[in-house]
Structures are given as C-alpha cells and as structure tokens.
Amino acid sequence: MRDELLDNMVVTLHSRGWSLREIARELRISRGRVRRIMNRNRHQRETGRDCQKEKRQKASLLDSYKEYITGLLDQYKDPPITNQRILELIREKGYQGGKTILSEYLATIRGKKTGEPIVCVETAPGQRGSHDWSEYYIGFSDVNQKEKVIFFSFILNYSRRQYIEVVDDKTQATLLKCLVNTFTYFDGVPCQVKSDNQKPCVDRWELGRAVFNKKYLEFASHYHFTPLTITPGKPRENLKIERPFYYLEKSFLSGRSFYNLDDLKRQLAHWLENINDRHVHRTTRQTPFDLYRQEYPYLQPLPKKQYDTALSEYRIVNNESCVEWQGYFYVVPKAYMHQTCQVREDNGQVIIYDSTRGEITRYPVAEKGSAQRYIGRTPREQSESYLRIKEIISRLESMGPVMEEYIAQVKMYKSNSVRHHLSRILQLKVNYQKEDILMAVSRALKYKVYESSSIENFLHVNAEKINEITLFQKNSSYDKD
C-alpha cells in the first residue's frame, strides 16, 4: 500500500538536492525504494498517469486446451455447450485444473451477460389494471401451526389502489369471482386487464401470440375490457402487481398475529382501507386513494347484471338416480333417471335443474375428504348399505383367521375403499378354491400388499380356476408361506 507522506518527503528532499543515498539514510528505507518513488513521480508529471507495472503473463493449466475449447464452442452453438460439459471433456484429455479458471476464461470469450434494464411503464387513468396470486405460510394461534394462505391481488396501474382477497384455490371460478369483487370494490372497470400466463386466462401461445381461454374472453366481453398477458419468461413486464406483494409482506404480514383465517380476513380489510390506501407511494408521491379520486371518472361503468361465475355443467342421472359432481353423488328423484340435467355450484350450494331450467333440488357442497360419497341418501338406505358391508365382512371372516387379519389391515390402510376391496375378494370365491384364495391373501399380508387387484392378479397367474386342473398340490400350506 502506498505511503503518500513518505512519497512527498522523498520527492521534496530530492528536489532540494539530496542524493538518493542521503534520502535513504535519513528516512531509513532502501535506495531501491527511493528510486522507485522518484521514477513513479517523474512518469506521473510527464504523462499525467500513474506508472502501472506490467503484469507478467504466467503459464496457465488451460493453455494446452484452449484450442480444443475453441473448437467445442464453435461446434456446439445452438444450444451452447455449458461450462460443466467443457470441464468434463477437457478432464478426459488430462486437465488437472479447477473449474474457476475455466469459467473465467470462458467469460472472456463468451462475454459477460448483462441483464435487461427495468422500464416501468406509466399508463393513463383508467387504462390498465393488473392481477396475480401469491402464497404465504402463516401461523395461526388457534391451531398453533402454519398454514398455506393464497392471496389474490388487483391493482389499478395509475393510482396504485389495490384490492386483496384471501382465496381457497387458483381455479378459474375463483379468479372470476375475485375479479367481480374487484370491479365492485372499485365501482368501475379499467379498459385493459393484465395477467401472467396462468391457466385460467391463457390456454397456450401460438405464433408469438397468446390464445386466451374461451370463458375468460366471455368474461372480458361482459365487462368491456381487453385482456393482456406478459411474454413467457419475462415476469418484469407485470411489476406493477409484483412489487405491491412486497409491501403486503412488509406492512401487513410482518409484526402481526392472527387467531384464525377469519381473523386474518378482518385485519386485511382494515389494513386495506386505513393503511394501504392512505400511505404515500414512493413513485407517485401521493396516496393511492387520492389518485383513485382522479382516476375514478375514467373507469368504465359496471353492467346492470354481474357475470354469473357459478360452475355449471351438464350431467346424466345414473342408474342409482344420482348426479356425479366433484367426486360425490347427489341424489335426485327417480323420475329423472337417465335424463340430462344441468348442475350449478354457487355460494356453497349444488343446484340441479331439469331440461326446462326448473330447479329439481339443491344440496350444500360436500365437504372435502368426507367419507359419505352419496349426498341426500335417506338414513334407511344408508343403514341397508352398512348391513351389506357387515354381511361381506361376516362371510369373509368365516374363511379363517388369515382373512380376519386381512380385513383388519384393509380397514387400517385402505379406510376409504374397504367395501371395494372386500367385495372383490368375496367375488373371487366364484372362480377360485378357498385354499387358493387364502394362500394369495397370506402372501399379500406377508408383503403388505392390500389391494384386491394384486391378490386377483396373483391368483390369475398361479392358481387354476374351479373345474380346472389344480396347480397347487398342497394348498393347506398357505400359512407356512
């Protein structure tokens, strides 16, 4: 490290006529150092630049492989060969060096990649809004654990006023409901609505253009806005909605505790109105609510009737006089068997209509994970179904202790499909001997395979059907397997 005070003393003493030997003896440094200081000072006075010492080129472990590396770069251009693959290839030829010097050398050849500058596009009042999702794991004190919470956010790009809602999923039905709530909250619709390439909005890209979802386009036409989306792989095109999530994390989610999800929603509504709307934005230097007052006259008016966001599909009533919806069976009167009915799910209700659009019946939506698959079945029908299952278990238990153990394991590990597996096992008695079935079940218990299909496949391969030649000569040995 240079000592500027020492340099000054050497230069001034030499200018007064002191010799190099005298200066060195006075300052207790070597004459060589005095000479270097004087030469550096002379070069700076003559050229105006510091005297740079030329770096001596040292031999590199890569020198003998540079020509080979150049050939690899020329050979593999599209897609370009990676640094890791080049390292593997030159090590096969005897390279003993590390990866760092190779990466530094390749950077000088390929050139350093520079990121694209961020350009924040400002839009006119009422011109554009943007929406997106964000997930967070939030702790709730009532259950004393963290749960995943999904936030939907919509922002008016001019005023930066924001609407945020907690949702259960990211389906199209949820998105459309959120957008309806958003437009109601703002009491108007922007001319353009921008999103990322999420499935509820964009089906695919063709010839450099987005192909929007049919229902999403129908929704956009209802509210008279033009749907927009970002270019794939360029999330910075929608920074107006990405950045506010950071403010949500910093201001709302930080330093707050929530009892449950309902408590979070209440605090979120208060935060939106009293904090988010009132804080001074860093870019606009105004509050979002003040700018919203200026933007409001430019928003498009809401239609007289909101868009129907309910899920609606047509189903055929099956032989059990039931309509299947989201994995559950909803009972309808037997007069509608084999007819096509419209099923709508809205506000927690499943509503079934006939062909004339008359309502047949309605039920609350079945809870997720419910063991009861039939909704609307009478208690008498349910008890009869329960008795049939008891009868299946009773017949199987009469086959011996091995079957009793199998039933217990199926109840433990296949609790959602006990009836299915046990009835399939009972049906095997039509085609196979009791001893063969018990041998297959014994093997299933040994290897902890409780699916009825596995037992059936084992019998199909290793056992003979009734009235055919018996494959097993000593079936009584099943318990020894």
Side-chain angles (χ1 to χ4, degrees), residues 4-122:
E4 297 293 344
L5 179 59
L6 180 63
D7 290 1
N8 178 262
M9 294 174 65
V10 170
V11 171
T12 54
L13 289 176
H14 187 269
S15 64
R16 295 173 186 172
W18 286 44
S19 65
L20 299 182
R21 186 187 298 274
E22 291 172 337
I23 295 174
R25 185 183 298 114
E26 177 69 21
L27 300 179
R28 295 182 181 182
I29 58 177
S30 66
R31 284 175 287 174
R33 186 173 182 181
V34 175
R35 189 176 293 107
R36 289 195 297 272
I37 293 173
M38 293 304 305
N39 291 338
R40 185 167 60 243
N41 180 261
R42 187 181 302 108
H43 181 273
Q44 187 175 13
R45 286 167 61 89
E46 293 176 356
T47 63
R49 298 189 303 272
D50 286 339
C51 181
Q52 298 291 336
K53 185 178 179 180
E54 294 184 2
K55 293 184 179 180
R56 191 183 309 170
Q57 293 291 337
K58 296 181 180 180
S60 172
L61 295 175
L62 275 175
D63 288 344
S64 56
Y65 303 97
K66 288 182 177 179
E67 184 176 349
Y68 177 63
I69 292 173
T70 303
L72 291 175
L73 295 174
D74 293 337
Q75 182 178 357
Y76 301 101
K77 291 184 177 181
D78 189 18
I81 188 171
T82 61
N83 294 9
Q84 179 63 33
R85 182 55 182 156
I86 294 176
L87 179 64
E88 294 170 357
L89 292 173
I90 61 177
R91 278 184 174 168
E92 292 176 2
K93 292 186 174 293
Y95 173 66
Q96 299 296 325
K99 185 178 181 179
T100 302
I101 60 173
L102 173 64
S103 300
E104 292 174 352
Y105 172 69
L106 290 173
T108 60
I109 298 177
R110 291 176 168 175
K112 185 178 179 181
K113 294 182 178 179
T114 57
E116 296 183 2
I118 299 176
V119 179
C120 192
V121 179
E122 296 296 338

Side-chain angles (χ1 to χ4, degrees), residues 102-240:
L102 173 64
S103 300
E104 292 174 352
Y105 172 69
L106 290 173
T108 60
I109 298 177
R110 291 176 168 175
K112 185 178 179 181
K113 294 182 178 179
T114 57
E116 296 183 2
I118 299 176
V119 179
C120 192
V121 179
E122 296 296 338
T123 55
Q127 179 182 348
R128 184 177 299 176
S130 305
H131 65 84
D132 201 0
W133 317 93
S134 188
E135 300 176 357
Y136 300 96
Y137 282 89
I138 301 173
F140 295 108
S141 56
D142 64 336
V143 293
N144 198 25
Q145 66 179 12
K146 290 187 174 182
E147 297 180 1
K148 185 173 76 170
V149 180
I150 305 173
F151 289 88
F152 166 83
S153 176
F154 190 102
I155 190 171
L156 295 174
N157 289 13
Y158 175 78
S159 64
R160 270 72 168 185
R161 195 178 185 209
Q162 200 173 3
Y163 172 76
I164 304 177
E165 182 177 346
V166 177
V167 296
D168 297 327
D169 51 51
K170 299 180 182 179
T171 60
Q172 187 181 65
T174 301
L175 173 65
L176 298 185
K177 289 178 182 178
C178 289
L179 289 175
V180 171
N181 296 339
T182 298
F183 299 151
T184 304
Y185 182 79
F186 292 139
D187 195 23
V189 184
C191 298
Q192 301 171 343
V193 174
K194 194 170 187 178
S195 67
D196 56 10
N197 291 282
Q198 52 186 284
K199 266 299 181 183
C201 302
V202 180
D203 286 339
R204 61 189 182 279
W205 277 71
E206 287 185 358
L207 302 176
R209 298 181 62 183
V211 178
F212 288 96
N213 179 271
K214 181 180 179 181
K215 189 166 186 178
Y216 184 66
L217 286 174
E218 180 183 307
F219 178 84
S221 300
H222 185 82
Y223 286 96
H224 290 186
F225 69 81
T226 303
L228 302 175
T229 186
I230 64 173
T231 306
K234 295 184 178 181
R236 291 183 176 181
E237 293 182 1
N238 209 16
L239 283 178
K240 287 285 181 68

Side-chain angles (χ1 to χ4, degrees), residues 245-263:
F245 279 120
Y246 173 72
Y247 185 70
L248 176 74
E249 298 172 18
K250 185 176 67 172
S251 177
F252 177 69
L253 297 179
S254 177
R256 297 175 190 267
S257 58
F258 308 102
Y259 180 72
N260 53 25
L261 191 62
D262 292 334
D263 180 43

Side-chain angles (χ1 to χ4, degrees), residues 314 317 323 332-333 336 339-344 350-362:
Y314 287 91
V317 182
V323 172
V332 298
Y336 296 95
Q339 294 186 19
T340 301
C341 297
Q342 184 185 15
V343 183
R344 295 179 71 252
V350 174
I351 310 169
I352 304 173
Y353 300 90
D354 60 15
S355 57
T356 62
R357 204 37 199 170
E359 181 177 329
I360 300 175
T361 185
R362 64 171 61 201

